[in-house]
Amino acid sequence: MEIDGKPHPHSFYRDGDEIRVVEGVTREGQGTSIRSKIEKLLVLKSTGSAFHGFHRDEYTRLPETWDRILSTEIEAGWQWKLFKTLKEAKAVDFNGAWKAARDITMKIYAEDNSASVQATMYKMADTFLATVPQIEAVDYALPNKHYFEIGMFSPIRIEELGIDPQQICRGTRT
């Protein structure tokens, strides 16, 4: 992932699946309502994300953590203010707004020392609303893509992997 023209040391994205979406509705005598979105933006940061201090009860299963891998498939959407005329809509830089949304999303995702995914989403939405005045509302979805730590040096019996040890030793001299 490049942020401000430089490779970020611990944030990455998968190129290729991301798509731009737009939905427009025009009603006679009212105007045109437009909603824009970025979908399927798969990202991962290997540090700089926490999840702690949340309410715990008998149903809580996740442990608190102060540093974790955060991977998600970002969906960012924004609702434009109602365009009463075609002239108003033609005056808007839709490509510039998309670029701003994407750049803001990537930069905050990579650089925020995130207390939680919700806190990071709030910063993204707040910054985007302040940057593009024709936007009325912003929403984000960042569902966790979980990666669990495993002990790489824990002994594993080869049978647990579904491999027949006789197949490995056959034809070799010891």
Side-chain angles (χ1 to χ4, degrees), residues 22-36 78-95 97-98 128 132-137:
V22 66
E23 176 185 289
V25 176
T26 301
R27 291 191 172 86
E28 188 175 352
Q30 294 179 12
T32 301
S33 171
I34 298 176
R35 177 170 163 72
S36 302
W78 54 98
Q79 180 68 43
W80 295 86
K81 292 181 180 175
L82 185 67
F83 297 108
K84 296 192 181 200
T85 67
L86 187 57
K87 184 179 179 181
E88 286 178 8
K90 284 184 175 182
V92 173
D93 181 5
F94 291 99
N95 287 328
W98 169 83
F128 187 42
V132 183
Q134 299 97 334
I135 300 299
E136 186 172 72

Side-chain angles (χ1 to χ4, degrees), residues 8-158:
H8 196 270
H10 60 77
S11 295
F12 311 91
Y13 83 102
R14 186 175 70 199
D15 192 15
D17 291 338
E18 176 186 357
I19 59 173
R20 287 174 72 172
V21 178
V22 66
E23 176 185 289
V25 176
T26 301
R27 291 191 172 86
E28 188 175 352
Q30 294 179 12
T32 301
S33 171
I34 298 176
R35 177 170 163 72
S36 302
K37 287 173 72 174
I38 297 170
E39 291 183 350
K40 298 184 180 183
L41 177 57
L42 188 62
V43 293
L44 178 143
K45 65 193 279 183
S46 59
T47 189
S49 177
F51 190 62
H52 60 85
F54 52 86
H55 176 75
R56 300 187 73 82
D57 62 21
E58 67 272 18
Y59 302 107
T60 303
R61 296 293 176 254
L62 290 175
E64 292 186 323
T65 184
W66 284 259
D67 193 27
R68 67 177 180 159
I69 293 172
L70 176 59
S71 181
T72 186
E73 186 174 276
I74 296 174
E75 183 177 300
W78 54 98
Q79 180 68 43
W80 295 86
K81 292 181 180 175
L82 185 67
F83 297 108
K84 296 192 181 200
T85 67
L86 187 57
K87 184 179 179 181
E88 286 178 8
K90 284 184 175 182
V92 173
D93 181 5
F94 291 99
N95 287 328
W98 169 83
K99 184 175 181 340
R102 191 177 189 286
D103 289 350
I104 288 165
T105 299
M106 299 285 267
K107 183 175 178 66
I108 292 175
Y109 176 84
E111 294 181 348
D112 185 35
N113 194 4
S114 177
S116 68
V117 173
Q118 296 81 359
T120 300
M121 287 190 294
Y122 179 86
K123 289 176 185 177
M124 292 171 177
D126 192 49
T127 304
F128 187 42
L129 284 168
T131 303
V132 183
Q134 299 97 334
I135 300 299
E136 186 172 72
V138 176
D139 58 87
Y140 277 93
L142 278 79
N144 280 326
K145 301 251 183 218
H146 290 284
Y147 298 89
F148 298 100
E149 294 179 18
I150 60 169
M152 294 302 289
F153 299 104
S154 299
I156 298 174
R157 293 183 41 150
I158 200 156

